[in-house]
Amino acid sequence: LMFGKARTCNIVTVPEHEPSECNIVILGANGSGKSDLQEVCLSPAALTVKFLTKRFISEYDPNLEDTYSSEEVVDQQPVLVKVMDTADQDGPVNCERYLGWANAFIIVYSIDNRTSFEACQQYLEAVTLYSKGLQPEGPVILLGNKVDMERYRQVSKADGAALALRFGCLFFEVSACLDFLSVQQIFHEAVREVRRE
Ligand code: GDP
Ligand code: MG
């Protein structure tokens, strides 16, 4: 009889390998590289599919917003990462669609474009205002993209770090074009932060 009970318990247990989920939204001014970052943050298998389907479309439509999912392994633990690529025309005006959905936020600017950096402040304000009092608050990463454009840099690394410090968020610089592995690491870092909460 005991044996039978134990077996029943086993059957109702949630499968051990069910991946947990992590929703990440990418925000920032147009042209800062959000769509490219979304593309390279996913595993090579997902990338192949994306290159076949999306690359083509986004070249023609900068207003395209979409969410891609990828089963990633972060620190030996599976996780279903969903990344929403946004395309706001006028800053964070219609942000309800992603604020409630996201577990983590990546706010992007281009290091060769001061205006895109200034736009980040609005996003940081909108996200922190929304998260205030929420448990968990949801990690925020400020990301300076296009470090391969060093020659045209308009935003110093110190400026990026200072803004991040002011909002209590993480800060990285990358190149979506040159450094795919670093980009993936940033998304994995977001997953780690969500797990820590
Ligand atoms: P979005 O409007 O934020 O989605 O920006 P996109 O991803 O469409 O990128 C805007 C432009 O910047 C495109 O021409 C990209 O190829 C280019 N781009 C994106 N990331 C990088 C990068 O790291 N370095 C350079 N040099 N160009 C980039
Ligand atoms: Mg885009």
Side-chain angles (χ1 to χ4, degrees):
L1 189 63
M2 285 303 284
F3 181 65
K5 268 188 182 165
R7 279 181 66 92
T8 311
C9 282
N10 269 341
I11 290 163
V12 296
T13 306
V14 175
E16 247 176 74
H17 300 293
E18 187 92 10
S20 58
E21 294 191 3
C22 183
N23 295 347
I24 302 173
V25 64
I26 316 179
L27 303 169
N30 278 343
S32 51
K34 296 180 298 298
S35 300
D36 277 36
L37 286 163
Q38 184 204 35
E39 225 157 66
V40 302
C41 76
L42 303 174
S43 292
L47 258 178
T48 314
V49 180
K50 285 171 60 58
F51 273 122
L52 291 175
T53 55
K54 187 207 159 194
R55 180 76 217 161
F56 213 59
I57 308 164
S58 63
E59 293 273 303
Y60 292 97
D61 186 3
N63 300 320
L64 191 79
E65 290 201 334
D66 52 16
T67 303
Y68 276 94
S69 303
S70 172
E71 279 186 33
E72 301 280 317
V73 177
V74 180
D75 302 332
Q76 289 87 49
Q77 294 260 64
V79 55
L80 183 65
V81 179
K82 296 185 192 169
V83 182
M84 185 194 288
D85 173 25
T86 63
D88 283 329
Q89 289 303 323
D90 316 296
V93 282
N94 170 28
C95 42
E96 294 77 17
R97 71 188 183 286
Y98 52 73
L99 282 178
W101 177 83
N103 301 118
F105 301 88
I106 296 182
I107 301 177
V108 185
Y109 64 91
S110 177
I111 65 140
D112 65 353
N113 185 320
R114 189 81 202 173
T115 312
S116 73
F117 178 67
E118 279 150 16
C120 284
Q121 184 164 329
Q122 288 178 276
Y123 285 103
L124 285 163
E125 279 164 4
V127 166
T128 43
L129 188 69
Y130 173 81
S131 315
K132 205 173 271 176
L134 286 187
Q135 278 307 328
E137 272 186 19
V140 183
I141 293 175
L142 179 66
L143 185 58
N145 187 32
K146 307 196 190 181
V147 283
D148 58 294
M149 302 292 275
E150 183 63 43
R151 281 193 300 162
Y152 306 101
R153 185 187 275 274
Q154 293 182 358
V155 184
S156 71
K157 201 168 182 176
D159 283 353
L163 184 62
L165 189 65
R166 190 145 71 80
F167 283 91
C169 60
L170 296 172
F171 172 62
F172 301 98
E173 283 189 346
V174 281
S175 166
C177 289
L178 288 188
D179 200 356
F180 292 9
L181 281 178
S182 298
V183 173
Q184 289 187 1
Q185 277 313 306
I186 288 163
F187 284 80
H188 287 194
E189 198 52 40
V191 170
R192 287 189 191 102
E193 288 291 320
V194 169
R195 283 176 179 166
R196 273 186 207 118
E197 287 184 328

